[in-house]
Amino acid sequence: MSRRTVRTICALALALIAAACSRPGPGGSGEVRAAIENLRETGLARERAYAFLERITSAGPRLTGSAQAAAAVEVTRQIMEELGFERVHTEPVEVGHWVRGDVERAVLAAPPSGTAVPLAVCALGGSVGTPAAGLTAPVIEVRSLDEVASLGEAVKGRIVFYNRPMDRRTPEPFAAYGAAADQRVGGASAAARQGAVAVLVRSLTFRTDRYPHTGMLRYDPGAPRIPAAAVSTSDADLLSALLKKEQEVSVTLRLDCRDEGRVVSANVVGELTGSERPDEIVLVGGHLDSWDLGTGAHDDAAGCAAALEAVALLKDIGARPRRTVRAVLFMDEEFGGTGGRAYAASALRAGERHLVAAESDRGGFVPVGLAVGGREAGARTRVAAYADLLRPLGVSFIVPGGGGVDVAPLIQGGAVPAAVMVNAQPYFDVHHSALDVASSVHPRELELQAVILAALAHILAQEGI
Amino acid sequence: MSRRTVRTICALALALIAAACSRPGPGGSGEVRAAIENLRETGLARERAYAFLERITSAGPRLTGSAQAAAAVEVTRQIMEELGFERVHTEPVEVGHWVRGDVERAVLAAPPSGTAVPLAVCALGGSVGTPAAGLTAPVIEVRSLDEVASLGEAVKGRIVFYNRPMDRRTPEPFAAYGAAADQRVGGASAAARQGAVAVLVRSLTFRTDRYPHTGMLRYDPGAPRIPAAAVSTSDADLLSALLKKEQEVSVTLRLDCRDEGRVVSANVVGELTGSERPDEIVLVGGHLDSWDLGTGAHDDAAGCAAALEAVALLKDIGARPRRTVRAVLFMDEEFGGTGGRAYAASALRAGERHLVAAESDRGGFVPVGLAVGGREAGARTRVAAYADLLRPLGVSFIVPGGGGVDVAPLIQGGAVPAAVMVNAQPYFDVHHSALDVASSVHPRELELQAVILAALAHILAQEGI
């Protein structure tokens, strides 16, 4: 081999290094690039996603099985019809129907001042009620389910007060939430097994205020069902301070929440049918149901609005990708995902293949990146070819990930999960509380999310995974 | 050369490619890595930056030269003393003192309804007032300074109404602002040269609401000085719609703003003196002065608070970097940067060398990346070695850039500009308006910014540029 050949090999290697390491230049198809530019111009010129969000939240708090949830099904089906979505339909789902009732009160039964001091509480989703007159018991503060188990007899006849805050030092709020949520989800049954009569759980938020934050609990089949309420962080601090000073602090708790059996609700489905492979589906979705203290604006009218706007924008610019882009607004994410399971089962029956499942359920906040999952990096690579167009919209990274309660069955069936990642710092300020209303959503931040979702769906529906 | 050698060269080339392209592993010094972890834990455990911001905004609206600005100088000097900053001092700066006065009113002089319709306006910073009785003139709407020049005589005796909105389709709000701000800065003189008697300028925000947004104007020496006011976007739309329907629309404008000459104000300076090279300085700063419609929370109590907290956190964790980390709170950013020029001149006299100048003046929003400028990539590379620790705090990119009005003279003198880049989408909602108050700042987002600023300063003060 000549020295010239060696030099050529070396030069080639260096060129390869340079090519592989340089900032990726514009890649991907020119047609898709033009479409993404067009989506940006069309989307940002107004804030239509927010208008959809307002129409959804105007239906009210959309607890699974409620009249408001049914109204939201009708509102969004109508939006899809107005926008000219194709194959618009609702898909029946049998769901539970828990109601909060009219009374949720907690009062310090024998406060040092001698006067009744109310605590800001709300029933946890799925909780049983108390007797009508309420129940009164001394409070015992704990930090974990393990601590309750270790306390044994000491818990008997008491109200267990779970007071482990979300760890502020964890930068990522979802991680801090995940590490604290076991108290809310499993705290009641863990306490009931030791003979507790009720539980109070510190609200899951970084903020110190008087808004209680609700959320689902799960009763273990083997444990008695005892009432469970969230207490605001401000009142949790007050109660904790009092417990340090007083020998015994008792609370009277009254909840008249209850289960009202099963009813029929629905997912809402509409699409832009693929031009070449209509049965290969890129799903964009959110969930229509919400908690009932606010109107579920960030959680998850925002996700539904982003999905509606993503498909609407593709129609606006006259796009018709090869594969189907379908908006699915799921019912019953908050009480366990029956809508997601029903949808996956019907897709299986219809012989549809879901390539991508992109659920938006992280709030309507400003986009910061994309998560595109899947065992192979194919879909991620396709999207990354458009990084230069997505970056100005706020996409600063593209990492593996995505997923959500409603799309989990599709992902188990082989769909690639995907999601627009957003700033989560303020999410738990409003999450599951009275603060989760339309005015807490920034119209332009939500629109950016919808534009990126439209671009993501277009890339993957056009180019595959 | 043997085939084995060629294979070795090829393998080497491939290994080089792989190494160069893989996600960078943990680099940088172990001591600095430990410090950054410590900054994160210490900073996020509370929200002290926000407490500093509240103390600054409690001084009130801090117009350059005002009593409130003087109070803020004293408050922040005191904070530095309390925190044990070193070489704390104030540095005198001679500044202008424009006052808004008590009256700023605009009324449609002859509205179709026959009743007076007020427009929400505010004087632009630096504007001359109107006669006490006001001035009344027909309005002419334009989109640009060029259009005014081309209209010539048609403008004479009229109020020129600049109504080119920030372009919503531009994803980056600072870019959209920059492309529209010429109307506010130069509109008055451009109109005056054609004989206009006053100008109204559409407020620079994406939002449609009734808050006027002020900001500095610049009178050209060669043109008459005419009164200039910002009009809220909602009223700008109303006025524009009216001008399309009516033959003539007149407005009566009353402003009693005025210039009150020059006064002595101050920059506030304190530091953590370097252990080895005390005269090499990494500056972190913001500006103390603000507009007067709100209390300058995002603009720029947030930047001052982040600078104070960054140095305070370094002290908390017991860090003592080789070079000095200095917090400088500048006076008079909004009226042209006299504080920044005075500081640079005094640094030059003292023989100090400013390695890095990191001004925070983009609002107290959630961090998304870092800008580290300079002709050479040295400083950027040093910071990038810690990308894995900065990423969870919100730093998704490290790009060339940085800079600001106050640090421009230092950068001209060779300092490397740097800045924590934040989500700018909501910035112009509040910018220079009554909405820029403490409650519009998210305490945890601001703290994240301060932690990152502390980490950035520590890296560069320890390792140089």
Side-chain angles (χ1 to χ4, degrees), chain A residues 165-177 202-209 213 233 237 424-430, chain B residues 44 47 442 444:
Chain A
M166 277 169 62
D167 188 344
R168 304 185 53 78
R169 296 164 304 174
T170 305
E172 165 54 42
F174 277 95
Y177 173 76
R202 182 188 181 88
S203 286
L204 297 174
T205 173
F206 286 130
R207 304 258 55 85
T208 301
D209 60 30
H213 294 235
T233 49
D237 289 344
Q425 294 303 331
Y427 188 54
F428 294 95
D429 300 2
V430 304
Chain B
L44 292 186
E47 290 164 341
H442 192 277
R444 187 170 160 91

Side-chain angles (χ1 to χ4, degrees), chain B residues 244-394:
Chain B
K244 283 184 182 66
K245 282 190 292 193
E246 303 292 321
Q247 282 215 304
E248 188 168 296
V249 178
S250 284
V251 161
T252 299
L253 182 67
R254 284 177 64 205
L255 303 175
D256 69 348
C257 49
R258 62 199 174 274
D259 211 312
E260 298 215 327
R262 300 190 73 76
V263 298
V264 175
S265 183
N267 299 323
V268 183
V269 185
E271 66 183 37
L272 184 59
T273 309
S275 61
E276 293 177 14
R277 303 183 186 184
D279 286 345
E280 290 189 9
I281 293 158
V282 171
L283 181 152
V284 294
H287 65 85
L288 266 184
D289 66 303
S290 79
W291 287 103
D292 56 333
L293 301 174
T295 53
H298 278 290
D299 186 12
D300 184 29
C304 295
L308 290 168
E309 174 71 346
V311 177
L313 284 173
L314 289 171
K315 286 188 61 71
D316 284 345
I317 67 162
R320 169 72 68 184
R322 294 195 184 102
R323 297 165 187 82
T324 294
V325 177
R326 181 180 293 173
V328 181
L329 313 182
F330 295 96
M331 186 50 65
D332 190 31
E333 191 270 352
E334 298 292 3
F335 276 92
T338 51
R341 287 193 293 277
Y343 177 82
S346 97
L348 198 64
R349 283 195 300 274
E352 292 170 337
R353 186 177 162 224
H354 280 73
L355 259 62
V356 176
E359 176 160 26
S360 303
D361 189 18
R362 290 161 175 79
F365 298 102
V366 72
V368 292
L370 281 174
V372 183
R375 269 157 298 182
E376 289 165 38
R380 204 151 55 248
T381 306
R382 299 230 198 311
V383 177
Y386 301 93
D388 59 319
L389 291 177
L390 299 173
R391 200 175 292 115
L393 295 165

Side-chain angles (χ1 to χ4, degrees), chain A residues 18 68 78 117 139 147 182 204 223 246 328 347 392 406 410 434 446 455 460:
Chain A
Q68 293 87 348
Q78 207 169 316
V117 173
V139 174
E147 189 182 346
D182 63 327
L204 297 174
E246 304 291 322
V328 181
D406 299 307
L410 295 173
L446 178 62
L460 295 172

Side-chain angles (χ1 to χ4, degrees), chain A residues 384-406:
Chain A
Y386 301 93
D388 59 319
L389 292 178
L390 298 172
R391 199 174 295 118
L393 295 166
V395 177
S396 298
F397 57 81
I398 304 172
V399 295
V405 169
D406 299 307

